[in-house]
Amino acid sequence: MASGGAFRNLRLAVLCLALTSSVGGEASRRFWIENDTFMKDGAPFQIVGGDVHYFRIVPEVRFFLFFLAGVPAFFFFGTAGVPALLLRSSCVTVSETGVEPICNCWILLQEFHQLPQYWKDRLLRAKALGLNTIQTYVPWNLHEPEPQSWEFNGFADLESYLRLAQELGMLVMLRVGPYICGEWDLGGFPPWLLAIEPALKLRSSDSTYLSLVGRWWGVLFPKVAPLLYSNGGPVIMVQIENEFGSFGDDKNYLHYLVQLARRYLGDDIVLYTTDGGAMGNLKNGSISQDDVFAAVDFETGSNPWPIFRLQKKYNLPGKSAPLSSEFYTGWLTHWGESMATTDATSTAKSLKTILCRNGSAVLYMAHGGTNFGFYSGANTGQDESDYKPDLTSYDYDAPIKEHGDVHNSKYKALRRVIHECIGSPLHPLPSDIEKANYGLVKLQKVTSLFDIIANISDPLRCAVSEHPLYMEQIGQMFGFLLYMSEYQGKLPSSILSIPKVHDRAQVFLSCSTDSVRNPRYVGVIERWSSKTLEIPNLGCSANTSLYILVENMGRINYGAYIFDRKGILSPIQIDGVTLHHWKMYPLTFNSLDNLPKLQLITQMPDVRASKVSVIHGHSEKKFQESSFYLNEPEFYEGHFHIDSESEMKDTFISFRGWNKGVVFVNNFNIGRFWPARGPQCALYVPGPILRPGDNVIVIFELHGPNPELTVNLVTDPDFTCGPKQ
């Protein structure tokens, strides 16, 4: 029950507003291009922008219980302390003695003390860098995780993010896709698109694909339209597709996207494309005949002005303001590589060659952020087997670090150049966010995966089939899928072959008459390396049970192989004989803080519900040598205490000594860790996901834990690990 003391911890700000929106249109507001110059409200305008993606930053989240006329009402507080739910019309004043009606207004509740507000914090750091414009992608998969299930809250509260940018005096360039790339899973496409039959042709004039894009944009654009610059909002430009010229040349597809955007957004908004600064890319990806502005991107060390001259050939006369819409401040990193870095001085020098000659540029990235959960993407080399998954961190060696720090040479160098070329005022350099060293956290094993497979498998998505099904086919869009079948082991050893596994399979054996607990780990088959594995004969009196745990490590986000289904995509053979009769168990990770309460089992459950109908290495010595990975997948849990909200600060979990897995803090998926491969050894834990009192860490370790069963919560993220370090 809310007490008077509780109200003393809140500040009531009553703002009586006009009935018209705060972003109501003004006739004089206009953004356009003429004489090869961006024009804003009748004056030349130079874009100094930066990508800051709302979906890679934790917004401030707080819940308050507030009694209105005796009825409890929950308020969800989003960014900048502004609640996502505001009361309108029946506005009241609140005191310890009662509730009284007042004027027609909005009510905002805020805490007395300042809490971390990371959307606002990162945007203010971008503004202090000298930026006047924010660019962001809009990932379709975040907003439509299941068909016609729309999500625009929390991370996905795009409208609040855009309004916040405007409140802070920033304009916005919006990259709506439907394909975005961005080192984001499947380039932003919802993975359920991959389950549609016949298979869609993504990024094409495929009629089914276009109808789904139309449905998505029919939801998105009515939210965006009131926020266009001409309507009083911050959005000055909207990007169509992304770097299409390096993928294909389907102009009908691009024309359709333009027509669809114009239908909702009107003719005044500046639509644009972005393509690499080469003739072939611009020829395939530009659509100047639709009055769509063609922007370019190119390597940071390139001479920009010959590329800007080439850009003019693919824009209408007078409509080619020089713009590098992705000026690379750093680069991405894959697991197993050294951490990508770029020199601060040379990066600033390259930016100066654009800005000091009245060109425009958007820093990619101004702030990278984090690929929380399972959203990190992947790239490929020569073919789809040359698979390169992205790190959890998306720091990108950007001037604003993953955790928000700006006291680094790159931020300071770029800030000086922007001030010198643009003449913008030097805003005070923000202080770095305070961090906490919570120290060593002792963990204990809670259970093994095989003990609780029934408890964390979605019974509505478990499936049986003559042949292995891919993940999307049974509705498992992210994470892990366990395959199970049986065979007769007659030879001293056998060869297991999985020609096409996406992405990484751990193989276990047990005798079918034995308990499934503690099956024998025999090795790994990986998409990028071996496709066969020599497995031992267990000497079973009956059949041998084969368990294959497949991890989806992120869908390809760029190039020809983006149609990247996950799981096992080929027949599975033992000694050349195809195995049939498969059971599949999708893993879910809901309420992991209740793991100790889950009932342990000793037998694999029968598959009783299926949404899918049945559809038509080396030797034992090698097994022993694989001692680097010893244990079966297991769950570990640890706790640490925070005394008060004032002690809730950013920290980093060091996974030195661990192998590979996923970590959850207070049931929030921080992301993947893989210190055995490197280079990332510590995962960022934003303060807003912590809480006063008990905080719970749950680790799903695929191979074997740190022998000391500890993780270290530290303040210094600047260390790496792995075989290359």
Side-chain angles (χ1 to χ4, degrees):
M1 191 167 192
S3 66
F7 286 117
R8 281 192 292 268
N9 293 326
L10 302 176
R11 180 177 64 200
L12 181 63
V14 180
L15 304 178
C16 296
L17 305 177
L19 292 178
T20 58
S21 168
S22 63
V23 294
E26 299 176 15
S28 61
R29 290 174 63 92
R30 187 184 171 207
F31 185 90
W32 75 101
I33 306 172
E34 71 175 29
N35 297 325
D36 294 334
T37 302
F38 292 116
M39 301 293 293
K40 175 176 166 289
D41 301 336
F45 183 77
Q46 192 172 4
I47 294 174
V48 186
D51 268 81
V52 182
H53 300 159
Y54 60 98
F55 47 90
R56 285 182 159 123
I57 306 168
V58 173
E60 173 60 10
V61 178
R62 289 292 177 265
F63 292 91
F64 290 90
L65 180 62
F66 174 71
F67 280 78
L68 177 61
V71 179
F74 282 94
F75 294 83
F76 172 81
F77 280 73
T79 60
V82 178
L85 175 63
L86 299 176
L87 293 182
R88 191 177 178 206
S89 296
S90 300
C91 294
V92 296
T93 57
V94 180
S95 68
E96 294 185 16
T97 59
V99 179
E100 299 177 0
I102 54 171
C103 60
N104 188 2
C105 61
W106 296 88
I107 292 180
L108 307 183
L109 291 174
Q110 293 180 317
E111 288 187 294
F112 275 117
H113 57 278
Q114 191 71 20
L115 291 166
Q117 299 166 356
Y118 289 171
W119 275 356
K120 183 176 182 180
D121 174 87
R122 301 312 194 256
L123 292 177
L124 285 174
R125 292 168 191 273
K127 186 171 184 177
L129 182 60
L131 306 187
N132 56 32
T133 304
I134 294 299
Q135 184 171 252
T136 183
Y137 290 124
V138 180
W140 183 2
N141 54 14
L142 183 70
H143 295 284
E144 193 181 5
E146 297 180 2
Q148 300 191 72
S149 175
W150 309 106
E151 182 58 62
F152 287 94
N153 294 313
F155 276 100
D157 192 353
L158 171 64
E159 293 164 280
S160 290
Y161 184 74
L162 298 180
R163 290 190 179 100
L164 178 60
Q166 183 174 29
E167 290 171 16
L168 300 179
M170 309 287 280
L171 300 172
V172 174
M173 296 167 63
L174 201 61
R175 316 177 81 178
V176 297
Y179 165 81
I180 65 170
C181 185
E183 290 70 64
W184 193 251
D185 186 81
L186 198 57
F189 285 127
W192 49 262
L193 293 178
L194 305 181
I196 295 173
E197 296 291 352
L200 298 181
K201 294 181 180 179
L202 301 177
R203 307 181 73 186
S204 79
S205 296
D206 179 308
S207 60
T208 304
Y209 164 69
L210 291 183
S211 69
L212 294 170
V213 172
R215 187 178 74 190
W216 155 231
W217 277 7
V219 173
L220 173 65
F221 282 158
K223 297 178 180 294
V224 171
L227 296 165
L228 299 181
Y229 188 77
S230 60
N231 293 331
V235 179
I236 55 172
M237 298 171 65
V238 174
Q239 180 177 305
I240 298 298
E241 248 276 350
N242 188 51
E243 296 180 327
F244 185 75
S246 60
F247 177 83
D249 59 358
D250 187 347
K251 297 287 188 177
N252 289 332
Y253 166 54
L254 297 179
H255 294 322
Y256 172 84
L257 296 181
V258 172
Q259 293 168 8
L260 188 60
R262 295 282 186 211
R263 184 188 311 166
Y264 290 100
L265 304 181
D267 294 332
D268 291 336
I269 184 66
V270 175
L271 300 181
Y272 70 111
T273 57
T274 290
D275 283 293
M279 184 178 298
N281 294 334
L282 286 165
K283 180 181 179 181
N284 291 338
S286 63
I287 38 177
S288 61
Q289 61 270 39
D290 288 352
D291 194 18
V292 175
F293 170 64
V296 291
D297 58 39
F298 42 83
E299 293 183 4
T300 302
S302 301
N303 183 349
W305 290 98
I307 300 173
F308 289 146
R309 287 192 288 272
L310 176 65
Q311 175 194 11
K312 292 185 69 171
K313 296 181 179 180
Y314 296 93
N315 277 307
L316 294 176
K319 294 290 188 73
S320 193
L323 170 65
S324 172
S325 56
E326 289 190 6
F327 176 88
Y328 301 112
T329 62
W331 200 246
L332 60 105
T333 305
H334 305 115
W335 291 108
E337 299 176 347
S338 296
M339 198 67 79
T341 60
T342 59
D343 177 70
T345 301
S346 60
T347 302
K349 182 179 179 181
S350 295
L351 182 62
K352 185 175 181 178
T353 61
I354 298 175
L355 296 186
C356 282
R357 291 182 58 182
N358 292 321
S360 293
V362 180
L363 309 184
Y364 192 97
M365 300 289 295
H367 168 62
T370 309
N371 296 317
F372 293 114
F374 296 116
Y375 277 113
S376 56
N379 291 286
T380 57
Q382 296 299 315
D383 55 52
E384 65 174 332
S385 294
D386 188 11
Y387 173 78
K388 301 175 180 181
D390 298 322
L391 301 183
T392 296
S393 171
Y394 198 62
D395 179 81
Y396 215 83
D397 197 28
I400 305 170
K401 308 311 293 177
E402 177 183 14
H403 44 284
D405 284 5
V406 296
H407 289 265
N408 61 77
S409 58
K410 185 170 290 183
Y411 185 96
K412 294 174 182 177
L414 294 177
R415 184 168 173 261
R416 285 193 300 268
V417 163
I418 294 170
H419 172 68
E420 177 184 346
C421 295
I422 306 300
S424 55
L426 281 175
H427 298 282
L429 198 65
S431 300
D432 286 340
I433 292 176
E434 195 171 352
K435 304 175 188 67
N437 185 340
Y438 296 112
L440 285 174
V441 175
K442 184 71 175 179
L443 296 101
Q444 62 179 359
K445 176 183 171 181
V446 179
T447 183
S448 111
L449 169 66
F450 293 101
D451 286 336
I452 61 165
I453 188 65
N455 302 77
I456 62 171
S457 293
D458 184 345
L460 296 179
R461 287 178 174 166
C462 292
V464 293
S465 173
E466 280 297 295
H467 305 285
L469 304 178
Y470 55 88
M471 287 186 175
E472 296 84 2
Q473 206 167 4
I474 62 173
Q476 179 72 350
M477 301 306 169
F478 299 97
F480 301 83
L481 184 62
L482 181 66
Y483 295 79
M484 182 268 183
S485 188
E486 295 182 343
Y487 70 97
Q488 292 183 338
K490 299 178 180 179
L491 302 176
S493 65
S494 296
I495 299 297
L496 170 68
S497 171
I498 311 179
K500 197 166 185 179
V501 57
H502 287 187
D503 299 303
R504 190 172 186 269
Q506 291 171 250
V507 181
F508 305 85
L509 300 176
S510 71
C511 292
S512 300
T513 56
D514 295 341
S515 166
V516 72
R517 298 180 68 178
N518 301 315
R520 183 172 180 176
Y521 167 75
V522 295
V524 172
I525 291 179
E526 297 167 321
R527 175 176 182 169
W528 55 89
S529 57
S530 61
K531 303 299 185 295
T532 62
L533 180 69
E534 189 165 349
I535 57 178
N537 187 334
L538 300 185
C540 300
S541 59
N543 287 344
T544 300
S545 292
L546 171 66
Y547 306 97
I548 305 172
L549 179 64
V550 177
E551 178 185 6
N552 165 3
M553 293 188 61
R555 294 178 182 85
I556 294 168
N557 55 253
Y558 180 81
Y561 305 109
I562 61 169
F563 197 93
D564 188 20
R565 288 170 170 166
K566 294 300 184 182
I568 294 174
L569 310 179
S570 65
I572 299 173
Q573 295 185 334
I574 291 185
D575 297 328
V577 177
T578 299
L579 296 187
H580 299 282
H581 310 300
W582 288 93
K583 299 177 182 179
M584 284 142 285
Y585 304 87
L587 274 60
T588 59
F589 294 105
N590 299 324
S591 300
L592 289 182
D593 48 1
N594 291 324
L595 273 177
K597 302 176 184 177
L598 295 179
Q599 179 182 1
L600 301 186
I601 62 169
T602 58
Q603 296 295 327
M604 185 72 68
D606 291 331
V607 175
R608 301 188 183 277
S610 175
K611 296 175 69 174
V612 183
S613 60
V614 178
I615 60 172
H616 310 302
H618 301 289
S619 64
E620 177 72 10
K621 179 180 178 183
K622 175 65 175 178
F623 167 72
Q624 293 172 348
E625 289 174 348
S626 66
S627 58
F628 185 72
Y629 293 135
L630 292 177
N631 297 337
E632 63 184 276
E634 295 171 331
F635 291 92
Y636 296 83
E637 181 178 292
H639 298 255
F640 64 100
H641 187 85
I642 297 177
D643 290 334
S644 64
E645 285 193 353
S646 63
E647 298 300 315
M648 291 165 40
K649 300 173 182 176
D650 288 4
T651 191
F652 302 85
I653 302 181
S654 169
F655 284 94
R656 284 191 181 276
W658 293 77
N659 279 295
K660 189 179 194 305
V662 186
V663 61
F664 302 81
V665 177
N666 295 334
N667 229 22
F668 182 91
N669 189 335
I670 294 296
R672 302 178 177 95
F673 63 89
W674 198 3
R677 178 63 62 94
Q680 183 178 3
C681 192
L683 268 60
Y684 173 50
V685 182
I689 71 167
L690 303 179
R691 60 197 181 201
D694 185 54
N695 290 263
V696 183
I697 300 174
V698 174
I699 294 174
F700 181 46
E701 166 62 63
L702 294 172
H703 292 286
N706 179 317
E708 298 177 355
L709 288 183
T710 60
V711 292
N712 200 4
L713 273 61
V714 298
T715 59
D716 182 10
D718 296 324
F719 52 82
T720 56
C721 56
K724 292 202 171 202
Q725 307 306 318

